[in-house]
Amino acid sequence: MPVATLQCPHCGHRFSFTPVTSLTPGDAHEEALLRGTLNCAPCPQCQQVLNVPVRLVYRDSRRPFLLTQEPKPLPEEQAKSLALQLDEAVTEVARSQNVQRPVARLVFTRQDFLEKIFLHKRNLDDRVVEFAKYQLFQGGAGEEASLSPSRHRLLFDFGQKEEDRLVFLVYDRKLGRPIRLLQVPRQEFDALKEEIHLNPSLQRELDRCFPGCRVDVDLLYQTLAQETS
């Protein structure tokens, strides 16, 4: 792992720190990620804690999966280029090594990084989950009717253990925090998954909505807006 030289913004002290850049299922780094302490470096001089932004890669070789988190958001054109490079590189490596191509994902926030990890752990297809989010944003009765993709984000609540439902945190974009929970009966989600599995036209629609390693309902709305403009 590369050693980083940091300068504390509080006292100006310079010190070395070795950030974590790679995680695997069940290792100690995964626990630190969950606690929010991963790559948090305390200054030896004043004990101020610095968060060290680095590219993170999560690999699961047992169920081939490769998840990359960039340390900061990028302009859309750069994000598209990076996603294309990642998809091409993963395909080429798998071909050259004659192994199964892993599911590859690219995200730009720690929240999305955690969500993708736990969807993978729960064996939930994140494309179906993001498509389900899209359906929820499209409106309905009760709490769903007040959802807006411009004002809210939906994030899978991996802390919930109920087997009979999927629980989403509704984040208020302006406030930057969750404001409520939204529950989807597992039976409804499984019915959507089965419908997609049995319907070739829905499979093609899912491929059109999420063609590469960026699988995010926000990106889907951007694509739809461009198509209608």
Side-chain angles (χ1 to χ4, degrees):
M1 296 180 187
V3 178
T5 300
L6 308 177
Q7 183 169 9
C8 177
H10 183 69
C11 70
H13 181 69
R14 296 177 67 85
F15 63 99
S16 297
F17 178 74
T18 304
V20 172
T21 58
S22 181
L23 300 87
T24 56
D27 67 17
H29 301 318
E30 188 183 61
E31 290 299 316
L33 174 74
L34 188 58
R35 293 194 304 270
T37 59
L38 186 70
N39 291 331
C40 290
C43 172
Q45 186 74 25
C46 68
Q47 304 308 312
Q48 184 86 0
V49 177
L50 284 67
N51 184 275
V52 184
V54 295
R55 175 183 291 180
L56 292 175
V57 177
Y58 180 93
R59 290 184 176 88
D60 184 351
S61 57
R62 186 177 62 85
R63 290 193 295 127
F65 180 68
L66 177 69
L67 171 63
T68 300
Q69 183 210 332
E70 286 296 307
K72 61 181 180 179
L74 297 174
E76 184 56 30
E77 286 305 312
Q78 292 183 32
K80 285 182 180 179
S81 176
L82 181 60
L84 181 61
Q85 292 173 31
L86 177 61
D87 273 323
E88 290 176 346
V90 169
T91 299
E92 180 57 33
V93 169
R95 182 185 298 118
S96 65
Q97 297 181 358
N98 195 28
V99 297
Q100 178 184 346
R101 185 190 190 278
V103 172
R105 295 292 182 260
L106 173 66
V107 297
F108 296 92
T109 71
R110 187 61 56 89
Q111 289 175 333
D112 291 330
F113 192 64
L114 280 164
E115 181 183 52
K116 295 295 185 190
I117 288 173
F118 280 90
L119 288 175
H120 174 71
K121 282 178 171 290
R122 303 274 178 92
N123 201 26
L124 293 168
D125 186 332
D126 66 329
R127 298 196 309 164
V128 179
V129 170
E130 294 300 312
F131 191 74
K133 290 180 185 179
Y134 175 74
Q135 298 295 329
L136 291 170
F137 277 128
Q138 288 304 100
E143 292 182 331
E144 296 174 24
S146 64
L147 288 176
S148 166
S150 63
R151 301 197 311 271
H152 304 117
R153 293 191 69 208
L154 295 177
L155 286 172
F156 178 65
D157 185 2
F158 53 80
Q160 297 290 335
K161 305 298 183 183
E162 292 86 350
E163 296 293 332
D164 63 341
R165 72 198 72 174
L166 270 65
V167 181
F168 294 97
L169 296 168
V170 180
Y171 267 75
D172 185 295
R173 294 182 186 271
K174 185 176 181 180
L175 297 176
R177 60 178 176 82
I179 55 175
R180 66 175 188 268
L181 299 177
L182 183 62
Q183 302 187 34
V184 176
R186 182 61 187 259
Q187 187 176 7
E188 290 184 11
F189 177 79
D190 289 343
L192 174 63
K193 181 174 68 175
E194 184 69 9
E195 184 181 6
I196 292 172
H197 176 71
L198 296 175
N199 189 327
S201 65
L202 283 178
Q203 293 173 25
R204 290 191 294 270
E205 179 67 11
L206 199 65
D207 291 338
R208 187 186 72 85
C209 291
F210 308 113
C213 62
R214 295 174 69 197
V215 177
D216 188 314
V217 70
D218 287 351
L219 186 61
L220 174 57
Y221 270 106
Q222 292 177 26
T223 302
L224 294 175
Q226 291 171 1
E227 291 177 352
T228 57
S229 62

